[in-house]
Amino acid sequence: YQKNKDYAKAEENFKILLKESPFSAWHNYRVALLYNAWGKKEEAKKHLNITLEIWKDADRDYFYSNMAKATAKEWGMEIPSN
């Protein structure tokens, strides 16, 4: 849905996923990207912060954690240190 810019439908699906797995870093990261694309910057940052907090102790070379950190840097956000 997100690819087709049907943001409301994508959000609906992510809410279901997050209800079942609220501490899934991957789901929070994907919903952050959704909200950013949709122009909902504060919601995007909220979910990216959740992602960063979950992955704060990840190995330095963990690809997805580094991807989230790169996104945070791109968005001008502070990256929590471990």
Side-chain angles (χ1 to χ4, degrees), residues 55-70:
W55 277 336
K56 73 178 179 189
D57 295 323
D59 292 338
R60 287 179 189 233
D61 61 346
Y62 184 57
F63 177 78
Y64 295 111
S65 171
N66 290 330
M67 194 166 57
K69 288 176 184 176

Side-chain angles (χ1 to χ4, degrees), residues 2 6 12-13 17 19 21-22 24-25 29 33-34 37 39 44-45 58-59 61 64 70 76-77 80 82:
Q2 184 173 348
D6 187 350
E12 183 181 318
N13 286 318
L17 291 171
K19 185 175 181 181
S21 302
S24 167
Y29 180 65
L33 296 178
L34 164 71
K45 288 180 178 181
D59 292 338
D61 61 346
Y64 295 111
M77 296 172 58
N82 48 350

Side-chain angles (χ1 to χ4, degrees), residues 20-38:
E20 292 183 15
S21 302
F23 300 107
S24 167
W26 180 247
H27 293 329
N28 276 286
Y29 180 65
R30 295 296 305 160
V31 81
L33 296 178
L34 164 71
Y35 283 133
N36 187 63
W38 199 357

